[in-house]
Amino acid sequence: MLLNRILVADDEESMRWVLSKALRKKGFTVDLARDGEEALRLIQANPYDLAILDIKMPGLSGLELLDKVRELKSDLLMVIMTAEASMKNAVEAMKRGAYDYITKPFDLDVIDAIIEKVSKARELTSQMSVLKEELKERYLLEKNIIGNSPAMREIYKTIGKVAPSDITVLVQGESGTGKELIARAIHFNSKRIGKPFIALNCAAIPKELLESELFGFEKGAFTGATERKLGKFEQANGGTIFLDEIGDMPLDLQAKILRVLQEKEVTRTGGSQNIAVDVRIVAATNQNLEELARKKQFREDLFYRLNVVPLQLVPLRERKEDIPLLVEYFLKKTCAELEVATRSCSPEAMALLTTYGWPGNIRELENTIKRAVILSSDPLLTPADFPGLRAQRGGETAATDELSLEAIVDMKLRVSLTNLDKMETGDIYNLVLRQIERPLVRFVLEKTRGNQVKAADILGINRNTLRKKIQELGIELRKE
């Protein structure tokens, strides 16, 4: 049931008393108003799901109240009550936006039927709204998950296999690798699309509040609980709940999550009623849950229930071929968001970005690009626009030290070739040559332990030419 808070406005005290008693008995929070002005003030100040209004009240009538409320809260459903069963009143009420119209006196069964009808209408409206947003988000999501590396292609295959079922998925990976994006992709490609996707970071909420966030609470359950609140599981009913950083969840709550998986029901804090929920769980962690289970820091039975389909996201440093694609994506996205001229990366800057280790993964890359776009007024970003990377890794030279010559040449060529559309005729030879010459000369000198005669012979140039290139390229010779 999607209804929670209801307003009853009637100048008859007996009618207010009867309706409030009947509705509160069913678990609703009910506010009462004696006239139209008081009802308007309450509607302005509170989020009601339904308003039941008498057509004739002192001051503002029910019909006049309809007009004013339509301007304030067009989504509030309102039911008009009247003691005069005339066609004119009914037609006028519906013309002004009433959801329904009932005639006094009426049995409480009529109110029950109205409540059920309103609940179904709100549920349908909510589903349509969610579906519209999720279809939009699915479209954006398909553009947001970037990567064509073998590791990402495997991820896409796994999503395609698990999404249609309701099987539990455990997404594992370092912070910043995009675990929530993957969870959303699973939801938006499942039969649950159109139902809610609810995300909760278990590490971001204090332990004492996490239970009430997950399972909700009843009015009066604790100090400050002035009205009933639905938990994340109830909010996600019919859809998917994403439990991020589940490794940080306290052990006592883990037992309750296990119960939800087994029994498919929850109990609100301070309540005694078991509430059925139909929710798919996608969990995520940057920790080794199996190791935590061995140390008794995570429930072993819950680990096995979550780990039905493990999905491992590789860190960015292990899929470097995706970095140029991600850089281009974040450049376009950031420039559009900040409404600034389009930026692009020089081959040298792209080489620096590609060889950097990215301990913060995709999130760090995005923030780095955003910072460079904000601080630079030049349309072409160079290594100088990424001083943090040079400071942390000693610049491009230090980064390339860790790569083989084959990797350097491959990376340099890919970076150069991605900029073909920006080159003028005749540029490609010199550009590619500049990109690979320095690491090539350094590589040969290291292999010959600095012997310039041998290095020149291997390179097919004379010693004087090699000496000039060492100076021009700024290569520091290492002494054995």
Side-chain angles (χ1 to χ4, degrees):
M1 185 176 291
L2 293 175
L3 299 185
N4 183 34
R5 193 166 186 175
I6 299 175
L7 172 68
V8 174
D10 198 304
D11 57 340
E12 293 182 29
E13 184 178 357
S14 59
M15 181 58 69
R16 296 196 304 271
W17 183 85
V18 169
L19 286 176
S20 66
K21 183 177 180 181
L23 292 171
R24 284 168 179 160
K25 188 176 181 180
K26 294 181 179 296
F28 297 108
T29 298
V30 182
D31 291 341
L32 304 175
R34 297 179 181 84
D35 53 47
E37 281 81 3
E38 185 179 8
L40 183 60
R41 287 194 298 272
L42 288 171
I43 290 172
Q44 289 173 326
N46 299 289
Y48 293 109
D49 301 304
L50 173 66
I52 302 175
L53 313 173
D54 189 22
I55 198 169
K56 286 189 176 181
M57 293 183 288
L60 285 175
S61 69
L63 295 178
E64 291 170 328
L65 191 55
L66 275 174
D67 293 337
K68 291 187 176 294
V69 173
R70 280 285 154 259
E71 298 174 3
L72 294 171
K73 298 183 178 180
S74 59
D75 60 337
L76 176 59
L77 299 181
M78 292 176 283
V79 174
I80 289 293
M81 302 182 293
T82 180
E84 299 177 2
S86 68
M87 185 183 74
K88 181 181 177 182
N89 283 343
V91 171
E92 191 63 28
M94 302 308 285
K95 278 174 59 179
R96 298 197 187 194
Y99 178 73
D100 211 334
Y101 173 91
I102 54 178
T103 304
K104 298 178 182 178
F106 51 80
D107 294 332
L108 290 178
D109 290 345
V110 174
I111 293 297
D112 290 341
I114 290 285
I115 294 294
E116 184 177 356
K117 184 179 176 182
V118 169
S119 294
K120 288 181 178 178
R122 286 184 62 86
E123 184 176 6
L124 182 59
T125 301
S126 176
Q127 287 179 7
M128 292 300 293
S129 176
V130 169
L131 181 58
K132 182 178 178 181
E133 288 301 313
E134 288 196 346
L135 287 172
K136 178 181 176 182
E137 191 166 352
R138 178 177 176 177
Y139 169 74
L140 295 174
L141 186 68
E142 289 172 351
K143 295 172 63 179
N144 289 346
I145 300 182
I146 308 296
N148 196 35
S149 61
M152 288 306 297
R153 288 198 293 270
E154 287 301 314
I155 294 294
Y156 302 150
K157 290 179 187 177
T158 305
I159 291 174
K161 290 176 182 177
V162 304
S165 69
D166 281 338
I167 200 165
T168 304
V169 179
L170 178 63
V171 185
Q172 302 171 88
E174 297 178 6
S175 294
T177 48
K179 295 188 286 294
E180 183 170 340
L181 278 179
I182 298 302
R184 288 181 181 273
I186 292 171
H187 172 75
F188 296 147
N189 286 280
S190 75
K191 61 186 179 183
R192 292 177 180 265
I193 185 169
K195 298 291 186 177
F197 177 90
I198 303 295
L200 181 73
N201 189 323
C202 300
I205 299 174
K207 294 180 180 179
E208 59 272 14
L209 299 179
L210 187 55
E211 181 175 359
S212 60
E213 280 293 319
L214 286 167
F215 306 114
F217 54 80
E218 296 289 352
K219 181 179 179 179
F222 49 82
T223 303
T226 56
E227 61 183 30
R228 183 179 65 188
K229 179 183 176 181
L230 303 186
K232 299 298 185 186
F233 274 98
E234 284 186 83
Q235 293 174 34
N237 193 32
T240 303
I241 188 167
F242 173 58
L243 300 177
D244 197 8
E245 305 302 350
I246 197 168
D248 292 299
M249 181 179 288
L251 286 169
D252 57 334
L253 278 186
Q254 292 177 26
K256 295 187 177 182
I257 297 295
L258 184 64
R259 179 172 175 268
V260 176
L261 282 165
Q262 293 172 338
E263 307 297 334
K264 298 189 182 302
E265 60 183 25
V266 298
T267 305
R268 301 188 193 110
T269 301
S272 56
Q273 180 184 2
N274 294 331
I275 302 161
V277 290
D278 172 24
V279 176
R280 180 185 195 168
I281 294 180
V282 177
T285 181
N286 60 7
Q287 303 181 64
N288 187 330
L289 293 189
E290 189 172 10
E291 181 64 24
L292 291 179
R294 279 198 294 267
K295 295 178 180 178
K296 307 300 181 184
Q297 296 173 0
F298 195 88
R299 288 185 65 102
E300 188 175 25
D301 47 3
L302 178 58
F303 167 69
Y304 288 120
R305 288 301 297 264
L306 294 174
N307 198 44
V308 179
V309 175
L311 204 162
Q312 185 71 48
L313 300 186
V314 301
L316 191 54
R317 62 183 173 274
E318 292 181 17
R319 56 182 187 104
K320 287 182 177 292
E321 57 266 55
D322 290 334
I323 291 178
L325 296 174
L326 287 162
V327 170
E328 291 297 325
Y329 169 76
F330 288 133
L331 281 172
K332 290 180 182 178
K333 178 184 175 185
T334 302
C335 291
E337 288 175 351
L338 299 177
E339 297 181 349
V340 298
T342 303
R343 303 282 199 274
S344 61
C345 274
S346 69
E348 294 80 10
M350 189 68 83
L352 175 61
L353 294 169
T354 306
T355 54
Y356 179 61
W358 301 111
N361 291 295
I362 299 173
R363 186 181 297 124
E364 183 186 3
L365 174 61
E366 180 177 11
N367 291 335
T368 298
I369 295 298
K370 188 172 293 186
R371 182 168 55 249
V373 170
I374 291 172
L375 297 179
S376 175
S377 57
D378 195 315
L380 186 66
L381 301 178
T382 68
D385 293 307
F386 303 98
L389 306 192
R390 300 180 69 85
Q392 293 177 54
R393 292 287 299 275
E396 184 181 350
T397 301
T400 55
D401 282 346
E402 300 178 4
L403 300 176
S404 66
L405 175 64
E406 292 82 0
I408 293 169
V409 172
D410 177 65
M411 179 271 295
K412 296 287 188 180
L413 285 173
R414 280 189 288 102
V415 170
S416 298
L417 295 175
T418 58
N419 289 274
L420 272 175
D421 59 329
K422 301 170 187 174
M423 298 179 191
E424 295 182 3
T425 305
D427 280 353
I428 186 170
Y429 177 81
N430 291 325
L431 180 58
V432 173
L433 186 62
R434 283 201 308 272
Q435 291 295 306
I436 66 174
E437 188 175 26
R438 187 171 187 273
L440 175 63
V441 173
R442 289 182 65 241
F443 176 79
V444 174
L445 284 167
E446 287 176 2
K447 290 298 182 182
T448 59
R449 299 188 178 185
N451 188 320
Q452 295 182 35
V453 175
K454 288 185 179 180
D457 186 50
I458 292 171
L459 290 167
I461 58 178
N462 63 51
R463 185 178 178 183
N464 289 333
T465 301
L466 175 60
R467 187 179 295 115
K468 288 180 181 179
K469 287 193 175 293
I470 291 172
Q471 293 174 348
E472 291 172 358
L473 298 172
I475 297 175
E476 183 179 347
L477 296 176
R478 298 180 182 178
K479 295 180 179 180
E480 293 295 326

